Amino acid sequence: MGEEKRIKTAVLISGGGTNLQALIDAQKSGVIRHAEICAVISNKADAYGLVRAENAGIPHFVAEKEKAEDTDTADDRERKQHEFEERIEEIIESTGAKIIVLAGFLAILSENFTSKYPERIINIHPSLIPSFCGKGYYGLKVHEAALSYGVKVTGATVHFVNEVPDGGRIILQKAVYIKDGDTPEILQKRVMEEAEWELLPRALELVSEKMTKEI
Ligand code: GAR
């Protein structure tokens, strides 16, 4: 197993990092055989996922975007976004990562960034795309929207990232049934347990295995 080629992978997070943990566990258990997490990058210095990276012995970094001010001009906003993405790129280059996994990464990446890594960035989204996705749909908001619409089935989607928010090619999806009495929190937990933690490692394995055959 150790002899196989592994594609270096950076995992970007913003919070608890349970999806990161699923990736770490899958690498240990052998579900992931063609990728190796070489860096964890958080846009929040207090993200618990950084502790998970530390515990697993994975190099971890913080890349924070300079705070937005009411007085910001369009130029200021562009500069802040540019500097934020430049910092992420530096870490990616310095660690040699070839795949970028967005695992609960809740910051927006511009087309300037995503176009540098075509079909190399994958994202997990907690609904069945094209439902409840795109700008403004993240974290609990996705489950609130699904419950308030009244759908009976939701789920998770792993997809490639392009310039359209949640719009890149779908890699894997899994459905999860909604139950009577679900709250956004209960549903979020069930979607994670039944879909996300299984789907994201499988998707990374699929993408990285394919890449080992291309190089
Ligand atoms: C996960 O449910 C993930 O699908 C979602 O944020 C949560 C992060 O949890 N991502 C999005 O909503 C992206 N649009 P985690 O930090 O415990 O992995």
Side-chain angles (χ1 to χ4, degrees):
M1 201 168 85
E3 299 302 308
E4 281 177 85
K5 268 190 288 188
R6 285 176 183 262
I7 310 291
K8 287 190 176 181
T9 301
V11 182
L12 274 55
I13 60 162
S14 298
T18 64
N19 278 288
L20 164 67
Q21 190 65 53
L23 293 170
I24 293 169
D25 295 346
Q27 195 177 300
K28 269 197 203 127
S29 69
V31 168
I32 295 176
R33 291 181 297 118
H34 295 86
E36 175 197 348
I37 305 169
C38 65
V40 169
I41 307 172
S42 174
N43 69 323
K44 303 274 178 211
D46 60 354
Y48 184 71
L50 290 168
V51 177
R52 297 178 190 274
E54 171 72 23
N55 291 342
I58 301 167
H60 46 88
F61 307 83
V62 175
E64 276 176 319
K65 189 170 160 183
E66 194 182 327
K67 204 169 152 282
E69 304 292 345
D70 292 345
T71 51
D72 278 355
T73 61
D75 280 353
D76 293 329
R77 284 198 296 273
E78 202 174 308
R79 175 186 58 78
K80 288 177 183 181
Q81 183 69 21
H82 182 75
E83 286 173 2
F84 173 55
E85 292 177 351
E86 229 174 27
R87 165 92 178 116
I88 297 173
E89 272 175 61
E90 267 167 32
I91 301 165
I92 286 166
E93 295 308 314
S94 71
T95 57
K98 299 286 178 250
I99 298 177
I100 301 164
V101 178
L102 309 185
F105 184 68
L106 304 182
I108 299 287
L109 294 168
S110 75
E111 182 172 4
N112 183 40
F113 182 93
T114 58
S115 63
K116 289 182 184 153
Y117 307 98
E119 305 237 314
R120 291 290 175 265
I121 312 177
I122 70 178
N123 179 49
I124 176 107
H125 183 77
S127 74
L128 294 175
I129 289 175
S131 288
F132 313 116
C133 64
K135 205 166 181 287
Y137 286 101
Y138 58 87
L140 267 185
K141 289 179 194 287
V142 179
H143 304 292
E144 280 161 13
L147 288 176
S148 86
Y149 196 96
V151 291
K152 300 298 175 202
V153 183
T154 185
T157 304
V158 182
H159 63 94
F160 286 113
V161 174
N162 63 10
E163 70 287 357
V164 182
D166 296 324
R169 189 158 68 81
I170 290 173
I171 304 166
L172 289 174
Q173 283 188 308
K174 189 175 177 194
V176 173
Y177 283 99
I178 284 168
K179 294 185 182 170
D180 287 346
D182 271 352
T183 62
E185 290 78 8
I186 292 171
L187 184 58
Q188 179 181 52
K189 187 158 178 279
R190 183 163 350 97
V191 169
M192 282 177 160
E193 286 171 354
E194 291 185 11
E196 295 188 47
W197 300 340
E198 176 204 324
L199 223 52
L200 187 59
R202 274 179 47 211
L204 176 57
E205 176 57 14
L206 275 175
V207 171
S208 56
E209 183 182 19
K210 187 158 175 277
M211 272 178 78
T212 58
K213 291 179 179 145
E214 289 166 1
I215 52 177

